[in-house]
Amino acid sequence: FIHSSPLLLTNMILRRLLFPTPHCHVRRRTLFTNTDIMKRDDPYATLGIQWGATTTEIKDAFKKKARELHPDVNKVDSAEEALAKFQAVQKAYSKLMDVKGAPHRNDLMEEWS
């Protein structure tokens, strides 16, 4: 393009503007992100708390969600859906409380000392 004439460059630009390439020939660069999967499996999101919550915040959120989603109390969802939601909350709670090195683990040491 350095040695091309201005007329040739203008023609190329006009051709691209007037006759763009079909979308099937355009290669789009996409980056794979798994944020939907992360949100679905995120125990903090399941309990409705921010990442790095303290142990007491985790416990309070679990108690609140457990009371709300317990299959005996939850009349909005079917029995199977209520049980699945309640088990997801239990799994999230146990996952958060079992993680070693998590920010809330320091609070456990303070509570028990």
Side-chain angles (χ1 to χ4, degrees):
F1 288 113
I2 296 172
H3 300 295
S4 300
S5 69
L7 183 61
L8 180 64
L9 288 175
T10 307
N11 286 340
M12 288 175 58
I13 293 170
L14 281 175
R15 193 176 319 130
R16 291 205 185 218
L17 290 174
L18 295 175
F19 307 108
T21 57
H23 291 290
C24 60
H25 297 293
V26 176
R27 294 179 75 188
R28 292 190 179 174
R29 182 175 243 175
T30 58
L31 299 175
F32 174 73
T33 58
N34 58 354
T35 53
D36 294 333
I37 296 170
M38 288 172 53
K39 288 178 186 175
R40 184 180 61 218
D41 294 338
D42 182 23
Y44 289 100
T46 304
L47 293 176
I49 53 178
Q50 295 291 325
W51 186 86
T54 63
T55 305
T56 52
E57 290 172 342
I58 293 171
K59 287 179 182 178
D60 292 342
F62 170 71
K63 289 176 187 176
K64 180 181 174 187
K65 285 281 189 179
R67 273 188 243 114
E68 177 184 317
L69 296 175
H70 193 276
D72 294 339
V73 178
N74 186 357
K75 302 299 180 193
V76 177
D77 299 320
S78 68
E80 294 83 18
E81 290 176 358
L83 182 62
K85 287 181 180 180
F86 185 69
Q87 287 175 343
V89 169
Q90 285 179 321
K91 183 179 175 183
Y93 177 73
S94 64
K95 191 184 289 188
L96 285 176
M97 296 309 280
D98 289 343
V99 173
K100 290 183 173 65
H104 69 272
R105 296 294 288 185
N106 297 334
D107 299 337
L108 279 176
M109 296 306 291
E110 293 172 7
E111 287 182 16
W112 291 100
S113 60

